Amino acid sequence: MTLSNRKNNSGSKFMAKAKKEPYLLINIIFAGVILLILAYSGIFSPEKDNYPVICVHEKLTGEPCISCGLSHSFSLIVRGRIGEAYQWNAFGMRVFLFFISQLFMRVVFLLISLRHPDIRKQLIIYDCVVSGIIFLISFWPFMTSIVKGVF
Amino acid sequence: MEDVKNNSGQNMGIAALITAIITFVLAVVPCVGIIAIIPGIIAIILASVGLSQAARNSNPRGVLLAGLIIGIIASLIAFSQIFVAGKIAQKADKWPNEIQNVINDVQDNVIKDIEDANISIKVESNGDKVEINTNTGKKDMEKKLEELEKVNTQTNDSVKPKK
């Protein structure tokens, strides 16, 4: 059996396992989505200002919203210009850290659930709680702005 | 064949859950919150279809229910962004009037400054110079007008009113 055949076999086995276990598949897809977000931040540069995502809120109301400048902020963080990133959006770092923590969690939880399938249910509960808390901490300013806007 | 049917409900559930979670993250970002209504609806539809399939085949429905609930909450948050935008737009309606008032104030100030200003216009052409100096002298004009009015009232006083 050649090396490529072995790799193909292990890959197909993993995919079959992932199809049977939704948690594995969800982890893989979310890790991919987060990597795409990081790639987006890396590809589009703040100097060229060629971001395809525009603020719908600003287009409708003419007023910049609390999340304006988030793309610029992400790009600057990826390039290591943290000070400038804070100037573009004060909450950019928080949200960026949420995505980084999620990427780390996806990889770690995927590996743990593969090695210890017997504790998968507990792992899912733990994952939901921790992810929920990190999400609330990271997105709290945005959520409060929405609540203030509605009421 | 039956295995494929069983998997389809499960796959729908996974797709619904992933779409719902992405919608949730998008919905709480004000910039793109309104757009999140579309994936929110897609997540709800996927979860609903998956639930009906799961009910027929008596499959587990945990992932599907999670997708449906998160999808509904995310769609509601995204929908609430319309109200937020509406309220800000209502406030924005008052801004043109405020801007108009500021412009009027500036205009009044400029007119007051110009009223008593000396204006000089210089035109040069082929070595010929023409210079026009003038001033509006509004105060002088007002004085003259008052004097004239006084003269007019004095003459009018001599006229006897008709009975």
Side-chain angles (χ1 to χ4, degrees):
Chain A
M1 191 179 268
T2 59
L3 192 71
S4 62
N5 275 344
R6 270 188 202 171
K7 272 185 181 176
N8 282 341
N9 275 343
S10 61
S12 58
K13 269 183 187 175
F14 178 77
M15 284 311 291
K17 218 175 189 182
K19 274 185 180 176
K20 277 182 186 173
E21 290 298 331
Y23 183 64
L24 298 180
L25 198 62
I26 288 166
N27 271 330
I28 294 164
I29 291 170
F30 274 123
V33 170
I34 295 163
L35 285 173
L36 278 176
I37 292 168
L38 294 179
Y40 168 84
S41 306
I43 291 164
F44 296 103
S45 74
E47 281 80 24
K48 287 177 186 171
D49 197 14
N50 52 354
Y51 297 98
V53 179
I54 47 156
C55 179
V56 181
H57 202 273
E58 195 179 4
K59 285 272 170 194
L60 288 174
T61 62
E63 270 285 285
C65 67
I66 194 168
S67 60
C68 275
L70 210 59
S71 303
H72 277 86
S73 184
F74 275 26
S75 293
L76 289 165
I77 291 166
V78 166
R79 285 166 177 79
R81 289 148 66 183
I82 310 294
E84 285 176 68
Y86 269 104
Q87 285 175 352
W88 273 100
N89 193 305
F91 308 110
M93 194 52 154
R94 268 190 201 206
V95 179
F96 188 80
L97 283 176
F98 166 77
F99 287 117
I100 293 296
S101 66
Q102 278 301 307
L103 182 63
F104 178 73
M105 279 174 70
R106 288 315 108 218
V107 175
V108 170
F109 280 74
L110 182 72
L111 292 173
I112 294 172
S113 65
L114 279 172
R115 284 191 182 175
H116 307 283
D118 48 318
I119 56 158
R120 197 165 283 160
K121 270 198 173 179
Q122 291 166 334
L123 205 66
I124 291 168
I125 294 165
Y126 181 72
D127 187 3
C128 289
V129 172
V130 174
S131 296
I133 291 167
I134 297 172
F135 178 82
L136 279 177
I137 293 166
S138 307
F139 287 85
W140 190 251
F142 299 160
M143 290 169 95
T144 50
S145 82
I146 294 167
V147 173
K148 274 181 192 173
V150 173
F151 300 106
Chain B
M1 192 68 185
E2 203 168 286
D3 214 37
V4 173
K5 266 188 180 178
N6 287 349
N7 263 342
S8 68
Q10 193 76 357
N11 290 343
M12 285 262 189
I14 293 166
L17 186 61
I18 288 164
T19 317
I21 293 170
I22 291 169
T23 307
F24 199 89
V25 174
L26 283 178
V28 294
V29 178
C31 274
V32 287
I34 296 168
I35 299 170
I37 293 171
I38 300 160
I41 291 165
I42 292 168
I44 292 167
I45 291 167
L46 283 172
S48 309
V49 173
L51 272 172
S52 68
Q53 283 182 353
R56 251 183 265 150
N57 303 321
S58 61
N59 278 349
R61 291 184 288 180
V63 179
L64 287 158
L65 278 172
L68 185 68
I69 292 163
I70 296 170
I72 290 168
I73 294 168
S75 300
L76 285 174
I77 294 170
F79 196 72
S80 72
Q81 300 269 13
I82 296 170
F83 291 102
V84 177
K87 279 197 173 180
I88 291 171
Q90 268 183 348
K91 283 179 188 172
D93 277 348
K94 291 170 189 170
W95 297 332
N97 291 333
E98 285 172 19
I99 292 165
Q100 187 65 47
N101 289 337
V102 171
I103 290 167
N104 288 340
D105 287 346
V106 171
Q107 266 183 343
D108 289 344
N109 287 335
V110 170
I111 288 165
K112 272 182 186 175
D113 287 342
I114 289 172
E115 269 174 359
D116 294 317
N118 291 316
I119 300 161
S120 87
I121 302 163
K122 287 178 184 175
V123 181
E124 275 187 43
S125 176
N126 297 328
D128 295 330
K129 280 184 185 177
V130 178
E131 192 171 339
I132 303 161
N133 285 314
T134 182
N135 64 342
T136 49
K138 196 188 173 188
K139 282 179 183 174
D140 296 339
M141 296 287 271
E142 276 174 353
K143 273 183 186 176
K144 273 185 185 175
L145 192 68
E146 277 174 16
E147 281 170 12
L148 281 168
E149 275 177 347
K150 274 178 189 175
V151 173
N152 280 342
T153 47
Q154 279 170 0
T155 51
N156 281 342
D157 285 347
S158 61
V159 180
K160 286 178 183 176
K162 285 180 182 177
K163 285 183 182 178

